[in-house]
Amino acid sequence: MPRTPSSRRTTHRLAADAGLLVVAAAFSLPLLWVILSALDTNANLQVKLPDGLTLDNFDAVLTPDVTFTPLLNSLLLCGGGTLLTVACAALAAYPLSRFRSRLNRPFLLTILFATSLPITAIMVPVYALFVQVNLIDTMQGTIFFFAASQLPFAIWLMKNFMDGVPKELEEAAWTDGASSLQSLVRIVLPLMGPGVAVVTVFSFVMMWGNFFVPFMLLLTPDQMPAAVSINEFFGNKGTVVYGQLAAFSIIYSTPVILLYVLVARRLGGGFALGGAVKG
């Protein structure tokens, strides 16, 4: 008996649902392992219920040397880098969005090319440059490089969000005597709040999880961020303290989650990338 179109659609929908469940399970199992292992004193690589619920793993890692100092360093590095990235991206995107030039498209294509450069390919000359200008093993030098590495994609995103703000509003402000900088700060940026939030969260998250850059540019252990200090849980000869590693991972992930929740709530959940694909 031939199958009807309705039965074929049902079969396809069930197959799609089954595929999505498999993908969801693949993403959920590692998260489940982290949560269960953080509460288990005998944690290993298996996903299993704890022998007994305990907070000993959190007590072991909640110390200044293990958690608080690295997290503070991460907040300083990523917070400073994010502020610098958003400010520079807004100033660079404004003329690209508001003024037409033959150089706009080549410049944007150059920016897009810069986003595809692997970070490992440029670290050797960057390291040599930082040694020459005395920025190696400094927090400000690492912040500058964080901002520079995220700036190309931030400019691309910011420009496309900025294209969605009507220029007529700025022209009215110019008529009242406002300068271009005043119209950018008082009119354009407030109207593209979701776009600024997307760039902010994206930049912060990319910096927060970056291990290679601070590992190469910072030498003093007291300046290492949490992304580097997490490596201390991997001991010699392959021994790993899985319970403490899982507990630290949960603490390490908390600032990023809080940032997303706070910004999303302030914007009413308006985290759409629709403006980023305009034009």
Side-chain angles (χ1 to χ4, degrees):
M1 180 178 179
R3 290 167 33 174
T4 64
S6 177
S7 63
R8 285 197 296 267
R9 284 195 297 269
T10 302
T11 303
H12 292 163
R13 185 172 64 252
L14 292 176
D17 292 342
L20 290 175
L21 288 175
V22 172
V23 173
F27 279 95
S28 299
L29 283 177
L31 297 177
L32 184 62
W33 177 87
V34 169
I35 296 173
L36 295 178
S37 298
L39 302 174
D40 189 359
T41 54
N42 299 317
N44 52 38
L45 288 176
Q46 296 179 348
V47 179
K48 62 183 181 68
L49 292 176
D51 299 333
L53 295 179
T54 178
L55 296 177
D56 291 345
N57 292 322
F58 290 95
D59 292 336
V61 301
L62 286 175
T63 62
D65 293 338
V66 176
T67 299
F68 297 135
T69 300
L71 280 180
L72 178 60
N73 293 336
S74 292
L75 290 173
L76 292 175
L77 289 173
C78 301
T82 299
L83 290 176
L84 189 59
T85 299
V86 172
C88 292
L91 293 175
Y94 182 74
L96 292 172
S97 174
R98 289 302 188 252
F99 303 105
R100 303 304 175 191
S101 170
R102 295 180 180 178
L103 299 178
N104 280 12
R105 182 173 177 80
F107 183 73
L108 287 172
L109 292 177
T110 303
I111 290 176
L112 187 62
F113 170 75
T115 63
S116 64
L117 290 175
I119 196 71
T120 53
I122 61 176
M123 279 309 299
V124 172
V126 166
Y127 185 90
L129 174 64
F130 273 43
V131 171
Q132 293 293 325
V133 297
N134 295 323
L135 285 178
I136 198 70
D137 196 28
T138 62
M139 299 289 280
Q140 62 267 27
T142 308
I143 289 174
F144 289 152
F145 187 76
F146 265 152
S149 62
Q150 296 301 320
L151 196 54
F153 193 68
I155 293 175
W156 187 273
L157 273 180
M158 193 77 76
K159 186 263 181 188
N160 285 281
F161 277 115
M162 203 170 286
D163 288 344
V165 179
K167 191 176 180 180
E168 290 76 9
L169 298 176
E170 288 183 88
E171 293 173 347
W174 294 339
T175 303
D176 293 336
S179 64
S180 297
L181 182 60
Q182 289 175 327
S183 65
L184 171 63
V185 174
R186 298 180 181 180
I187 297 176
V188 178
L189 291 180
L191 290 176
M192 52 176 289
V196 176
V198 169
V199 175
T200 300
V201 173
F202 176 83
S203 301
F204 187 87
V205 170
M206 295 300 293
M207 297 177 192
W208 188 262
N210 195 310
F211 167 84
F212 190 65
V213 170
F215 181 75
M216 292 293 296
L217 299 182
L218 295 175
L219 307 177
T220 306
D222 291 340
Q223 292 183 333
M224 293 296 180
V228 178
S229 67
I230 196 173
N231 190 53
E232 299 296 326
F233 292 99
F234 296 88
N236 297 325
K237 300 180 181 179
T239 58
V240 183
V241 187
Y242 291 107
Q244 295 181 19
L245 174 61
F248 184 84
S249 299
I250 292 176
I251 298 171
Y252 173 57
S253 305
T254 301
V256 175
I257 297 173
L258 288 178
L259 174 65
Y260 176 82
V261 171
L262 291 175
V263 175
R265 178 177 297 179
R266 183 177 181 82
L267 296 176
F271 264 119
L273 285 174
V277 296
K278 181 181 182 296

